[in-house]
Amino acid sequence: MTAGKVFVGIDGGGTHSTAVAVDVEGNVLAKVTGGSINYYSMGMERARDHLSKIINELLEKSKLDAFESVYIGNSALSQEAAPAELEAFTGGILDSDSVYMHSDSYIALMAMTAGKPGILIISGTGSMGIAKGLSDELLTIGGYGYLLGDRGSAYHIALQGIQAAVAAEERMATSTALQEALKHHFAIEHMSELIDKFYNPPLDRHIIAGFASEVAKCAEQGDEVALKLLQQAAHDLARHALGLESRLNLPGVPIGVSGSVFMKNEYIFNAFKGLIKQLCPQSSVGLIEYPPEIGAIFACFHKNYMLLEPSVLQRIKLTYESLAEV
């Protein structure tokens, strides 16, 4: 491999962004965090300002004047950015031979597979699945947002838990520990107080999604209503994986998971693994090994027709971990 080339990988989430600079031997030279670059939620001017600050800080930490190639995973996108969109966002900021931008879900998939076939199921505030086969064509399932789907997501779990608690309080459904959990979580005495809290002004989705952790706690304490909600979430997420595995037609393809629902809810993770063992017995299941910004680096290697040799992967892992300890 040619010495001296440095690639940049950026994970541009909805609340913040993380970027790394890595040379072609796999040495992670610098890591920075900055503001969100989702130009749909931030606006183009603010998003470009955040990107500019991230790149300038990376250049300073890396002691470089420019980067060879940059790959951006942006939560504003659901597919690869068109040239005009890429230019509108990065033009005048990035002095690079090659700049690419795709969705944040794609770089998370790359973090899991390093370009090989695989399936990734993501469940945080929202949910979706993404897969890659033997070609570069991507398959997706879900990802329609909180109004049209997001089954198995923290928002969906939380909303169902809230609705179950309200229905129980009205004696229209089975009594559940979720009733008191809901009152405590939103600091209310009477369920009717939720109306003002939820609608005046409308409550942000991520705040509603936060109640999913209370559903999990109630399930751990043996509440049957909460437990059924977690079982259904695990089933919904497993069906995402099964749908993608069927479309790939690659028995035994690895299945990775990411997002707060899997990371923070052991019951759902274990239930998901159990269902996959039944539905896709040849597939392994696990958390992704690398963070999304490293997935963007893998995508950068792929775009530049460079193999990710085992020694490079090992070097990336070791230097990234040592950088995090500093």
Side-chain angles (χ1 to χ4, degrees):
M1 293 184 293
T2 305
K5 292 184 178 181
V6 175
F7 295 157
V8 170
I10 302 176
D11 174 27
T15 57
H16 69 276
S17 302
T18 305
V20 290
V22 182
D23 68 21
V24 293
E25 294 177 347
N27 296 295
V28 181
L29 306 177
K31 173 184 175 183
V32 302
T33 57
S36 171
I37 57 172
N38 185 321
Y39 39 82
Y40 290 142
S41 60
M42 290 288 109
M44 186 61 79
E45 185 176 349
R46 284 185 66 196
R48 279 175 53 83
D49 180 59
H50 290 165
L51 177 65
S52 180
K53 288 177 179 177
I54 288 168
I55 294 299
N56 288 336
E57 188 175 348
L58 266 184
L59 287 168
E60 182 179 348
K61 285 189 174 184
S62 304
K63 297 179 172 59
L64 295 170
D65 297 322
F67 298 114
E68 178 73 17
S69 188
V70 178
Y71 204 105
I72 303 168
N74 198 325
S75 56
L77 299 175
S78 59
Q79 57 189 1
E80 189 165 19
E85 189 170 18
L86 184 62
E87 174 62 25
F89 179 54
T90 66
I93 297 174
L94 287 167
D95 181 18
S96 175
D97 290 341
S98 53
V99 183
Y100 310 95
M101 187 163 64
H102 210 302
S103 65
D104 57 345
S105 57
Y106 173 69
I107 63 168
L109 176 67
M110 289 296 289
M112 174 205 160
T113 67
K116 297 177 182 178
I119 295 170
L120 179 65
I121 304 301
I122 304 167
S123 181
T125 301
S127 66
M128 69 170 295
I130 184 169
K132 179 185 179 301
L134 297 173
S135 70
D136 282 344
E137 181 184 2
L138 298 176
L139 302 176
T140 61
I141 191 168
Y144 289 94
Y146 74 104
L147 289 177
L148 299 178
D150 278 349
R151 299 185 69 86
S153 69
Y155 178 85
H156 194 252
I157 294 167
L159 186 61
Q160 287 189 308
I162 292 166
Q163 291 172 337
V166 171
E169 191 80 0
E170 298 284 300
R171 298 184 181 181
M172 298 174 63
T174 304
S175 179
T176 169
L178 292 168
Q179 293 166 249
E180 291 306 313
L182 183 60
K183 292 175 185 177
H184 182 265
H185 185 76
F186 287 102
I188 61 172
E189 291 186 14
H190 304 286
M191 208 67 88
S192 60
E193 296 173 55
L194 286 176
I195 297 172
D196 188 56
K197 282 188 176 286
F198 271 61
Y199 298 113
N200 187 28
L203 206 58
D204 287 344
R205 292 193 299 278
H206 76 276
I207 295 177
I208 296 173
F211 187 67
S213 61
E214 298 302 318
V215 177
K217 288 178 185 176
C218 290
E220 290 171 4
Q221 295 165 4
D223 184 80
E224 291 187 5
V225 174
L227 187 59
K228 286 181 180 178
L229 293 181
L230 296 194
Q231 290 171 339
Q232 185 61 53
H235 179 81
D236 290 337
L237 294 169
R239 295 295 299 182
H240 278 56
L242 181 63
L244 288 171
E245 193 265 353
S246 176
R247 289 161 62 189
L248 280 180
N249 195 26
L250 291 173
V253 67
I255 299 172
V257 298
S258 70
S260 59
V261 168
F262 288 114
M263 298 291 289
K264 297 180 180 180
N265 195 310
E266 189 175 354
Y267 179 88
I268 287 182
F269 185 34
N270 289 333
F272 176 86
K273 287 193 292 184
L275 288 165
I276 294 301
K277 188 174 181 180
Q278 297 175 29
L279 299 171
C280 308
Q282 298 179 57
S283 295
S284 61
V285 180
L287 297 170
I288 59 176
E289 186 176 359
Y290 298 92
E293 59 270 20
I294 296 298
I297 291 293
F298 295 166
C300 214
F301 269 73
H302 184 67
K303 277 290 190 180
N304 285 274
Y305 304 101
M306 298 175 66
L307 291 175
L308 276 166
E309 298 172 358
S311 61
V312 173
L313 290 170
Q314 184 65 15
R315 190 69 185 158
I316 288 174
K317 186 174 184 179
L318 288 173
T319 56
Y320 184 89
E321 290 174 351
S322 64
L323 197 65
E325 293 172 358
V326 175

